[in-house]
Amino acid sequence: MGLVTKNGILLIEFANQIKVMGVLARDAMVRSGGVRLHPILRTAVSTISGILPIASGFGAGGKLAVDGDGGCGWYVNEHFFRRYL
């Protein structure tokens, strides 16, 4: 299970917890999105910044640049572009 999937599960679980308190489903989703957005973005930015040296070919993992390009592109795609589709 990937990091994007885990973030989605945490977001839905948090919305369900809010919904149990008697909040409407739409309001629970909006609240959970606002609360969970900051940790999700921090995780995404730290992961992407860790992959970038490998993807660009610098540092100790520079010879693994082929793997880094795909990993970095996939992660940026998953976290930023697919959220708005």
Side-chain angles (χ1 to χ4, degrees), residues 19-41:
K19 193 175 159 188
V20 167
M21 291 185 235
V23 178
L24 294 174
R26 186 179 192 292
D27 294 334
M29 288 186 285
V30 170
R31 284 187 195 177
S32 68
V35 171
R36 294 291 309 157
L37 181 65
H38 188 247
I40 288 171
L41 288 179

Side-chain angles (χ1 to χ4, degrees), residues 47-65 68 72:
T47 303
I48 291 169
S49 64
I51 294 173
L52 280 178
I54 296 172
S56 62
F58 294 117
K63 295 179 182 178
L64 303 172
C72 188

Side-chain angles (χ1 to χ4, degrees), residues 2-85:
L3 194 56
V4 176
T5 306
K6 289 179 185 179
N7 285 336
I9 291 170
L10 287 173
L11 192 64
I12 292 170
E13 182 61 32
F14 193 71
N16 286 336
Q17 289 175 0
I18 294 172
K19 193 175 159 188
V20 167
M21 291 185 235
V23 178
L24 294 174
R26 186 179 192 292
D27 294 334
M29 288 186 285
V30 170
R31 284 187 195 177
S32 68
V35 171
R36 294 291 309 157
L37 181 65
H38 188 247
I40 288 171
L41 288 179
R42 273 192 313 194
T43 304
V45 168
S46 65
T47 303
I48 291 169
S49 64
I51 294 173
L52 280 178
I54 296 172
S56 62
F58 294 117
K63 295 179 182 178
L64 303 172
V66 174
D67 295 336
D69 291 342
C72 188
W74 170 83
Y75 202 76
V76 170
N77 178 36
E78 285 290 318
H79 267 287
F80 295 110
F81 299 130
R82 294 186 85 189
R83 298 243 184 250
Y84 298 107
L85 292 179

